[in-house]
Amino acid sequence: MSSKTRHKIPKYWHFAHLTASYTPILNQHRTESIALLVDSVGLYQGNFKIHNHQNGRIYLTNERLVYVDNDDPVNCSLYFKLIDVISDGGLKFYNGFLKSSPKITVRFKDDNNISDDSEGGLYEADGLFESIESTQSNKDKLKDPSIERLRATDMSQASSVGSISGNSDIFETGDFEIVSWKCKICQFVNKISSENYELDKLLNPNLNTGVKFPNCVNCGIQSTKNGIISAIKKSRNKKLKLKQKELEALKDKDLIDLSDDVASSESVVKSKNINQCLVCTFVNHPLMKNCEICGSSLNNFPKKPTLKNARNLIMLDTEDPSDGNKEAFQARSIKLSFRGNFNGGNNNNSNDLKKFLSKLQEMIDEANLKDIMKRANKNENVQKIIMSNPKGPSDSSVSNEAKTPRIKTGISALESNQGHIIKKNEFILESSLEDLNSLMSKAKELNNLIKSFDKVINVNSISNNEYQKTLDESKSTLGIGNTNDSFHYLVLNNNFNFLNKLDNKEIFYKELARNLAIFIQNFVFGIGDNSMKLITNEYSGGIISLIDLYSLYNISLGFNNNLISPSDLLESVSYFDSLKLPLKFRKFEKSGLLVIQDSKCTDEEILNQVTDFLINKKFRLQNSEVIDSEYQSVENKIKGSGEYFRGINIQTLVKEMNLSVAILQEILDIGLMNGSLLIDEDISGTSYYLNEIDNYEW
Amino acid sequence: MSKKIGLSSFTNSESALKQYQQLGKSLADQQHEKLSIQLSVFQQALANFAKNHPEEIKSNENLRKEFTSLCFSVGVDPLAASLSKKSASKNKNASLWSKLLGDDNDEFYNELAVKIIELCKKLEDVNGGIVAVDELLKIMTNPDSPNSIVDLTESDIEKSVELLSTLDPNFKVITVGDQNKKFIRSVSKELNNYETKVFEICEIMGYATVGILVDNYRWSSYHSKDVLEEMVSFGFLWVDVDPVYGEVHYWDPSWINKLERGT
């Protein structure tokens, strides 16, 4: 039987944050991109399997290698940074033999050379993507067994301090020894530290003449000699025992065993127990933020066991815990075991694997190179920041005015100034078009310029409508209109590019499904953050037709970027269910229309949105002056109050609700069937009305 | 300028104001003209870049993103650029090569499909979801736009639509009349026989009237009117009253565009 023991994670492993559809969150500077993906991978620490990390996907990006667990992605996903890997000879390939699957051994630099974790936040959600954690962390906090356990140990520690009160407990803070004793008068547990008292002198009964016994902090009564001595003795005994146990349990510094026995739980407590108040020297409970005695804040408050820390514990399936663990953690190497289709001596698959290996090596080299460049360029960066110091959106015009030697006034100045601006624009445009590189290096400037175009137009809006029109027209032919900015966003955020390099069709479809899910949730339904929704509308039900999705998604892939084909899309959406993504793929029976729907969103809800809309529209019509007076008077005659629901045709609804005609048609049909809507067909089209007949008092 | 007083100052200030306005207008006009020239030149250049350096842009992730967003902000469609590039190479490599280079062509049709969806959506307001293939082609290859696609053919469009019909069975090419005029239908409404007949007439005349239908197909006038009005309600036809005879003309919206372009 293999036994399982929990261990603190080695330094090179980091906990990976995931998006809502369980793909890694990429670095916030958007410099990271996924290069390769392999499914069915297991992780080894040294020579031992890591428990619960035996079935996952690994994403190779240009900065990291991310393991995402297939079974429990939220808690069991890890990554390591490529720069932490020994660049020369850090990888070893094992081809697999009979039943053992092919493996890649990755060796890491020693702890001193590991990049520090201060930028760990880089790979966390920055609000762009709703992280899976933000939605689940609260639940997890309650559920996570390891958290529970940590809590339990904290509690037991707290109570143990109290229970020993019979006389004492001992802690060590830095070099000082702390003994707690209980006042016989008020039962308050006092602490004395070897900093203030020479404990040895207190212990020695012969020398007690010159020694002053400590007073109770609470009631001021001096402690008795016997009480103190027994307290010190007890605490020292305890300390000795602790030390012995510690020696057994904690041979390696990195290993903190969290198994249930008292010794280890107390050792955890001990390791954290540096929570002494700087003002009054009172040693507070490790979880206190303010001193219990004097109320001053505790700066040296140790990091409390957060969710993240708890996740950083990994379990090994080892044969012999005492030996194996030590070895495994000292080995400073891990293994990636490629199961699944790579098994056996199939040539194609081992080629795939070799491809992966060489890609990994390439990425590691690149990452290292980048690191070196970064270090070398530190000063250059400073300069760059100064250079690109933003001067505001009207950059070009402002700087222009500033540069003109004399500030002229009058019409001639206006003219010459204008000429200036145009010259400058010309210069930027021309120089940028020399070749591709200069174009891209000027991209920011160009964007500013284009913004300033807009500005000029808005200022002189009298005669420049035409120009606005040209721009609008060319934009609207692209179907972007005002959602321009979100398009930028979109293009900049879709990292799907790497998938074209995947040969395995199934992985490709699954990954596409995951990416589609993020895309739909963030940009179409706007579940995470409304600001990034492409379709900015209060009513946009959680439903989109495949045709629309195809178009939107492909646009998001950007220029010349191996768009997906219709059949790819069709294939991958059928994986939504099996991947447990919060979307469903369905077909409307009547028209055969295929749609993607939020799995929580029902037809009734969308129908309710339509009826809500009709109800709100009524009020809007009343307030507006657009309604012609003749119509108004007829309307008043009919209902007296003037409160009525005006019919609406499907085209208007489409615009207002941002659903496609086909979907809306289906929804409206449902409304007609269940009697909440009425229709009126005439030459101007079909109008839909709320069914008020049922509610009317005759 | 010396300040004038008295009654004459009123008339003077008025004329001065006018002059200022004129001056302001001419300045703004000049600026507008120059800016729009700059813009169109830049658009064209950007489109050319997309055509000439597709590989470079594609291979560099950041470059690609920057470039795409730049294109969007000035109103250049990078898709169109890459389409015309591909369609040119497609025609060059016709026959044997096109089979060998199948991948690239797939890509081409995928891109074209995106474009078609965009346009169909945009035109749905006008034509109720039925658009002639040749009209679509005309829009996409319009040489005045920086986003025109060169060397595009009707059969390319048909092929792309065929691909799309896997996503939506309603999205397909339908054929009307003896001359096999092709339309793309993007709505779920099926055309019945009468309606296709009306489209046939519209193909020749640009519009249909009750009288024409009665004369040619021997339909009753009630029936003719009914069919035509139903098509109007779906948005396939537009109503226009003839100023001379007072007869109602039911126009095919694509002809409205044709006439506009003619004048």
Side-chain angles (χ1 to χ4, degrees), chain A residues 48-62:
Chain A
F48 300 99
K49 284 179 183 172
I50 303 176
H51 186 64
N52 279 342
H53 294 69
Q54 290 309 308
N55 173 26
R57 309 180 296 280
I58 48 178
Y59 293 80
L60 176 64
T61 78
N62 53 355

Side-chain angles (χ1 to χ4, degrees), chain A residues 440 464 478 548 557 562, chain B residues 32 61 63-64 77 107 121:
Chain A
M440 273 10 265
N464 280 327
L478 305 179
D548 292 346
L557 289 177
N562 297 339
Chain B
H32 160 235
E61 182 87 1
L63 185 73
R64 185 174 61 77
D77 186 2
E107 182 87 344
K121 289 263 157 224

Side-chain angles (χ1 to χ4, degrees), chain A residues 25 28 30 124-131 134 489 522 528-532:
Chain A
I25 288 172
Q28 286 173 18
R30 322 230 170 286
E124 287 171 26
D126 58 352
L128 290 183
F129 288 106
E130 188 195 19
S131 150
S134 57
Y489 223 55
N522 284 328
D529 178 2
N530 266 339
S531 64
M532 4 181 258

Side-chain angles (χ1 to χ4, degrees), chain A residues 349-515:
Chain A
N349 289 333
S350 70
N351 278 345
D352 273 358
L353 210 53
K354 280 191 179 129
K355 208 171 94 189
F356 176 80
L357 188 68
S358 64
K359 191 82 190 171
L360 182 60
Q361 183 68 53
E362 186 187 311
M363 287 301 185
I364 289 171
D365 291 345
E366 246 172 56
N368 274 311
L369 190 67
K370 229 198 238 160
D371 191 44
I372 293 167
M373 296 292 275
K374 207 169 100 193
R375 266 182 240 160
N377 281 350
K378 260 188 183 146
N379 288 329
E380 211 167 291
N381 280 340
V382 174
Q383 233 173 357
K384 260 185 205 159
I385 290 165
I386 294 166
M387 297 268 284
S388 64
N389 198 10
K391 286 174 193 161
S394 57
D395 193 13
S396 59
S397 52
V398 168
S399 61
N400 230 313
E401 276 164 5
K403 271 176 205 160
T404 45
R406 277 175 295 148
I407 298 167
K408 290 188 226 161
T409 49
I411 294 164
S412 64
L414 204 63
E415 267 177 330
S416 74
N417 199 13
Q418 208 180 74
H420 230 86
I421 293 173
I422 288 187
K423 270 248 168 71
K424 176 163 181 171
N425 291 351
E426 230 162 62
F427 174 73
I428 295 176
L429 293 180
E430 269 173 22
S431 63
S432 68
L433 291 173
E434 273 166 15
D435 64 60
L436 200 61
N437 285 335
S438 56
L439 177 72
M440 273 10 265
S441 65
K442 288 213 166 59
K444 278 219 177 82
E445 229 172 313
L446 285 169
N447 268 327
N448 278 341
L449 179 63
I450 286 149
K451 265 184 210 141
S452 76
F453 275 8
D454 281 346
K455 223 179 179 187
V456 170
I457 293 145
N458 289 336
V459 172
N460 308 334
S461 55
I462 329 150
S463 62
N464 280 327
N465 286 335
E466 264 177 67
Y467 164 78
Q468 183 69 56
K469 240 186 0 205
T470 14
L471 191 63
D472 278 352
E473 257 169 33
S474 48
K475 276 180 182 170
S476 69
T477 38
L478 305 179
I480 45 179
N482 292 328
T483 54
N484 202 357
D485 282 340
S486 27
F487 255 91
H488 284 209
Y489 223 55
L490 192 60
V491 171
L492 295 179
N493 276 300
N494 203 336
N495 277 305
F496 196 62
N497 186 27
F498 75 100
L499 281 180
N500 309 301
K501 296 159 203 156
L502 291 181
D503 297 331
N504 187 325
K505 274 288 162 194
E506 198 188 321
I507 299 181
F508 172 79
Y509 289 136
K510 281 185 179 169
E511 207 49 36
L512 179 57
R514 285 192 188 95
N515 201 35

Side-chain angles (χ1 to χ4, degrees), chain A residues 20-23 509-518 521 572-573 575-584 597 599:
Chain A
S21 60
Y22 308 133
T23 53
Y509 289 136
K510 281 185 179 169
E511 207 49 36
L512 179 57
R514 285 192 188 95
N515 201 35
L516 276 169
I518 304 176
Q521 300 239 325
S572 64
V573 293
Y575 280 102
F576 279 168
D577 242 8
S578 63
L579 292 175
K580 300 188 186 87
L581 295 170
L583 296 167
K584 67 181 176 213
Q597 207 170 345
S599 53

Side-chain angles (χ1 to χ4, degrees), chain A residues 78-308:
Chain A
L78 299 168
Y79 72 86
F80 62 80
K81 293 182 190 163
L82 294 180
I83 48 168
D84 292 342
V85 179
I86 296 174
S87 57
D88 194 16
L91 299 178
K92 222 168 80 190
F93 180 58
Y94 164 71
N95 212 345
F97 181 68
L98 293 178
K99 271 177 134 182
S100 72
S101 30
K103 291 178 186 64
I104 290 177
T105 309
V106 183
R107 282 171 53 226
F108 292 96
K109 298 168 182 166
D110 50 328
D111 269 343
N112 303 332
N113 293 329
I114 295 264
S115 56
D116 72 34
D117 199 21
S118 60
E119 50 182 342
L122 212 60
Y123 303 109
E124 287 171 26
D126 58 352
L128 290 183
F129 288 106
E130 188 195 19
S131 150
I132 190 76
E133 241 186 303
S134 57
T135 53
Q136 293 196 353
S137 61
N138 286 334
K139 276 182 263 160
D140 283 355
K141 264 178 197 155
L142 297 174
K143 277 184 198 159
D144 194 326
S146 50
I147 284 285
E148 288 291 338
R149 185 179 292 168
L150 276 175
R151 281 218 185 110
T153 57
D154 285 334
M155 294 310 287
S156 74
Q157 190 261 341
S159 59
S160 72
V161 170
S163 65
I164 303 168
S165 60
N167 296 314
S168 65
D169 193 6
I170 189 158
F171 302 103
E172 219 168 356
T173 56
D175 297 332
F176 303 120
E177 190 181 354
I178 289 179
V179 174
S180 64
W181 58 275
K182 193 172 176 181
C183 174
K184 289 220 162 137
I185 309 296
C186 66
Q187 303 290 308
F188 185 81
V189 181
N190 290 280
K191 303 214 161 143
I192 47 173
S193 147
S194 60
E195 190 181 7
N196 306 331
Y197 292 97
E198 292 175 57
L199 296 179
D200 290 326
K201 270 189 190 167
L202 289 178
L203 266 181
N204 192 336
N206 298 330
L207 291 171
N208 64 356
T209 41
V211 179
K212 204 185 160 206
F213 287 104
N215 292 343
C216 173
V217 181
N218 197 31
C219 59
I221 307 289
Q222 202 179 48
S223 57
T224 58
K225 179 181 153 192
N226 288 341
I228 284 289
I229 288 174
S230 67
I232 294 171
K233 276 184 177 165
K234 270 200 176 179
S235 68
R236 291 211 167 156
N237 278 341
K238 200 161 169 56
K239 191 177 148 198
L240 258 175
K241 271 188 203 163
L242 251 172
K243 267 196 175 161
Q244 278 170 357
K245 282 187 179 167
E246 233 174 86
L247 282 173
E248 290 165 18
L250 282 167
K251 283 184 181 163
D252 192 313
K253 225 186 184 180
D254 273 346
L255 307 184
I256 295 175
D257 201 320
L258 271 188
S259 52
D260 289 84
D261 62 303
V262 190
S264 63
S265 75
E266 279 191 327
S267 70
V268 171
V269 165
K270 188 166 160 43
S271 72
K272 288 184 289 181
N273 209 340
I274 43 165
N275 206 12
Q276 187 182 25
C277 176
L278 289 174
V279 179
C280 67
T281 72
F282 180 76
V283 176
N284 287 280
H285 185 272
L287 290 179
M288 294 300 290
K289 281 182 178 164
N290 290 319
C291 176
E292 276 182 288
I293 298 302
C294 62
S296 55
S297 73
L298 298 165
N299 287 335
N300 53 348
F301 169 63
K303 225 180 169 186
K304 72 175 174 181
T306 59
L307 184 61
K308 218 162 113 191

